[in-house]
């Protein structure tokens, strides 16, 4: 009896189930499709921003590129100046900041990877370094202003170098520690087993094994500080005259772009775009190079 | 027995050379160098806090706790308050996150689940390169490209539509200057977008494949896998990534300075001009004499910004601690 009634009553029911589940399936597929489309649009939007920035820089900056930009110093508006002193000033400050910050960052990263273990001190240092990595760079500038500019009587290239070096340190720390942690422990054991002291293990074996990662970190740090403007506002200030004296205010590309872009003079604004193009190509080039170094060794 | 045998064998080996004295001394020196450098990082943080606080002390003394809430900024009468910059800093950062987070999520979802394998590397790199573009470039691009676009098209359109609505309409009224809080928030959103997207992508990638495969095996769609498996698994780290973006947005200087309009007043409309802590420090610093109360007020603002962003970044690191360090 139930065998005869059950199928009869369940047939329309199953049909209803089927149409309901088909509708559910369609709705699920539709939701999925809409969200996938939105996510694709989001990615296109992100890429569009990068393309728009690069295109703007090329359109507005490329026309101003000439030999003059690289060979002539900054001059008053209307007299066809170049960007030689900002470029040289930036190169000097970034190079010295990298030379100053890299060894410290390297040693801190080595400490975290090779010595700290799971100790409290290491955890605190790692945490603070990571916070400094994302801390507002303008505050580093204010700090160095208080530390070096006020007590030592004025803005100077050295103060700019120190401010940028402070920004270099946490970048190098992060990459150094990450890269050293990738080295297998068997390598360390092999070196110690041969009777080498630990410092030789670190310097001759671990650093050498991690060299591509460390270079990547340094390149990324250079790229980061090359475009920094805010910390230099309070330290090396900028200098419209030719000067390579580090105890005087020193010109830099980002600061010059900042003051030229905000000026009312057409030719200064064009130079600002040219400077912006140079610096962006440099920074993005360094980033791509850093990735290539890392990939080449793997 | 075997333990007894060993001493008999050992003497026949060549005598173990005594470690050279240089080795242990070298070890001690090198360990000290590493430890000292690590300590330097802590000293650096302490020095930053102390220097900013000491610099701001005269302002804190002169205005007391009211410094934080006062909206006055009057160089003529030498009265300064942090109210407007703090309001601008927090408002622009939060607006920026509201705009950036959905887009960043979309990019991370696209890069981990939707994009074909060959596309993930190059597109991911392009998004990361957006993070490498210097702040000042965003400022120039914002000022010369986005501001005219806002003034000419976007803001009039929003004012004519959303601005007509009751209640929330008042937030979107006023003349379309192009510059202002909203434009600053938009530029900030574009700047923090790659940081949030890259963090989200990295944590999404750490979800064990088995979990996702079992959900797919049950017939789940990609969105259902994302919502039902990946997001619950990575929730804490995703919030950490958003906090990282917030920390970046709070302290951003050059780009904001270009587009925010730089006025020390609180306007009801998000299209109005304003300032942030970082922008007022960058702009007013040049006109502040050493030792003046104004300079001290700027340093006090710097100290407040440090406290706010340190708190946000510390929270971010704490939320991200387990997943990113695996």
């Amino acid at each position: 009896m139930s065998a005869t009634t059950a199928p009869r009553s369940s047939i329309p029911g199953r049909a209803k189930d089927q149409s309901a589940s088909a509708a559910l399936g369609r709705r699920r597929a539709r939701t999925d499709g809409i969200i996938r489309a939105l996510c694709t649009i989001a990615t296109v939007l992100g890429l569009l921003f990068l393309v728009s920035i690069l295109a703007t820089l090329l359109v507005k900056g490329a026309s101003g590129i000439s030999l003059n930009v690289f060979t002539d110093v900054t001059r008053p508006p209307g007299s066809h100046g170049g960007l030689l002193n900002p470029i040289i000033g930036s190169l000097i400050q970034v190079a010295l900041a990298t030379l100053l910050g890299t060894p410290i960052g390297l040693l801190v990263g080595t400490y975290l990877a090779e010595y700290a273990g799971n100790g409290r001190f290491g955890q605190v240092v790692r945490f603070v370094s990571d916070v400094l990595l994302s801390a507002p760079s303008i505050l580093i500038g204010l700090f160095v202003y208080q530390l070096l500019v006020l007590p030592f009587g004025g803005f100077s290239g050295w103060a700019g170098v120190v401010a940028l070096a402070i920004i270099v340190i946490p970048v190098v720390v992060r990459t150094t520690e990450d890269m050293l942690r990738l080295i297998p422990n068997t390598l360390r054991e092999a070196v110690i087993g041969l009777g080498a002291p630990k410092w030789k293990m670190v310097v001759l074996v671990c650093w050498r094994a991690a060299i591509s990662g460390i270079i990547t970190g340094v390149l990324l740090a250079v790229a980061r500080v090359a475009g920094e403007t805010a910390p230099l506002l309070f330290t090396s200030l900028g200098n419209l005259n030719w000067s390579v004296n580090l105890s005087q205010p020193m010109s830099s590309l980002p600061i010059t772009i900042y003051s030229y872009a905000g000026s009312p003079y057409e030719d200064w604004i064009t130079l600002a775009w040219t400077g912006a193009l140079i610096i962006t190509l440099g920074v993005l080039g360094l980033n791509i190079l850093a990735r290539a170094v890392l990939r080449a060794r793997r | 027995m075997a333990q007894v045998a060993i001493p008999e064998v050992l003497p026949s080996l060549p005598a173990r050379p005594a470690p050279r004295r240089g080795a242990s001394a070298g070890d001690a020196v090198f360990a000290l160098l590493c430890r000292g450098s690590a300590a330097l990082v802590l000293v650096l943080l302490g020095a930053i806090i102390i220097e900013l606080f000491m610099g701001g002390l005269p302002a804190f003394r002169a205005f007391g706790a009211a410094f934080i809430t006062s909206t006055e900024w009057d160089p003529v009468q030498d009265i300064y308050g942090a109210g407007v910059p703090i309001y601008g800093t927090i408002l622009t950062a939060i607006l920026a996150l509201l705009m950036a987070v959905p887009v960043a999520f979309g990019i991370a979802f696209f890069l981990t689940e939707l994009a074909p394998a060959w596309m993930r590397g190059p597109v991911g790199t392009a998004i990361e390169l957006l993070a490498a573009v210097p702040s000042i470039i965003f400022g120039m691009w914002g000022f010369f490209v986005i501001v005219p676009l806002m003034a000419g098209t976007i803001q009039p359109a929003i004012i004519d539509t959303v601005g007509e609505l009751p209640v929330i309409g008042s937030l979107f009224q006023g003349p379309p200057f192009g510059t202002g809080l909203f434009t600053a928030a938009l530029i900030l959103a574009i700047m923090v977008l790659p940081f949030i997207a890259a963090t989200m992508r990295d944590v999404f990638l750490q979800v064990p494949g088995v979990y996702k495969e079992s959900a797919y095996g049950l017939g789940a769609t990609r969105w259902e896998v994302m919502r039902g498996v990946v997001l619950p698994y990575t929730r804490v780290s995703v919030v950490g990534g958003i906090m990282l973006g917030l920390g970046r947005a709070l302290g951003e200087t050059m780009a904001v300075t270009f587009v925010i309009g730089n006025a020390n007043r609180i306007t009801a409309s998000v299209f109005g001009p304003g300032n942030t802590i970082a922008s007022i420090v960058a702009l007013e610093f040049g006109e502040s004499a050493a030792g003046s109360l104004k300079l001290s007020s700027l340093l006090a603002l710097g100290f407040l910004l440090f406290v706010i962003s340190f708190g946000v970044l510390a929270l971010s690191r704490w939320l991200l601690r387990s997943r990113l360090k695996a």
Side-chain angles (χ1 to χ4, degrees), chain B residues 32-324:
Chain B
L32 196 71
L33 266 178
C34 288
R35 185 171 262 276
S37 304
L40 186 69
V41 171
L42 300 189
V43 171
L44 204 56
L45 177 77
I48 292 173
I49 294 173
I50 291 169
E51 285 284 4
L52 290 180
F53 182 74
M54 292 309 284
L57 200 55
F60 287 130
R61 279 231 182 89
F63 306 114
F67 178 73
I68 296 174
T69 51
S70 161
T71 56
E72 243 177 307
W73 189 271
D74 189 346
V76 180
Q77 295 181 45
D78 228 17
I79 297 174
Y80 307 99
V84 178
I86 290 179
Y87 167 81
T89 304
I90 293 174
L91 181 75
T92 51
I94 288 177
L95 271 179
L97 282 191
L98 286 178
M99 290 187 260
V101 168
V103 181
F105 171 79
I107 293 174
F109 186 23
F110 181 83
L111 285 177
T112 51
E113 301 287 330
L114 304 181
W118 60 267
M119 204 193 260
R120 292 179 191 189
V123 173
T125 306
I127 297 293
E128 284 168 21
L129 284 183
L130 187 61
V133 173
S135 165
I136 187 159
I137 307 299
F138 276 102
M140 282 185 81
W141 177 73
F143 187 74
F144 289 99
V145 176
I146 297 298
V147 168
L149 194 67
M150 294 296 278
T153 322
I154 299 175
Q155 287 184 350
I158 297 179
I159 290 167
D160 287 344
T161 53
V162 187
E164 299 293 319
L165 297 175
V167 190
I168 64 159
S170 65
L171 290 174
F172 299 94
Q173 281 169 355
F177 291 118
T179 55
L181 293 165
F182 184 77
T183 310
L186 180 68
I187 300 290
L188 282 177
I190 298 171
M191 295 183 73
V192 299
L193 175 68
F195 287 97
I196 304 177
T199 315
M200 281 190 184
R201 179 197 58 186
D202 292 348
V203 297
F204 287 171
L205 283 176
Q206 285 176 0
V207 176
V210 199
Y211 292 5
K212 290 191 283 186
E213 281 154 22
S214 21
Y216 282 128
L218 290 170
T221 61
R222 296 194 196 203
W223 166 240
E224 284 163 351
V225 170
M226 172 52 72
R227 207 185 56 174
V229 178
V230 176
L231 269 184
Y233 189 85
T234 56
R235 198 172 28 202
V236 175
S237 307
V238 165
V239 177
I242 295 171
M243 287 289 140
L244 184 67
L246 180 62
R248 291 253 165 197
L250 287 169
E252 194 44 64
T253 311
M254 303 318 294
V256 172
T257 309
F258 268 96
V259 298
I260 198 164
N262 303 307
N264 197 77
R265 57 173 187 268
I266 294 180
T267 51
S269 166
V270 293
F271 292 150
N275 58 21
T276 67
I277 295 179
S279 77
I280 197 173
V281 171
L283 277 173
E284 303 266 330
F285 178 83
E287 297 149 24
S288 317
S292 66
L293 192 58
K294 188 177 180 187
L295 184 67
S296 173
S297 302
L298 293 178
L299 287 160
L301 278 174
F303 176 73
L304 292 177
L305 175 61
F306 191 85
V307 171
I308 299 171
S309 54
F310 185 89
V312 169
L313 291 170
L315 180 64
S316 154
R317 286 293 151 194
W318 185 71
L319 292 169
L320 284 169
R321 72 197 180 289
S322 55
R323 292 287 152 71
L324 280 184

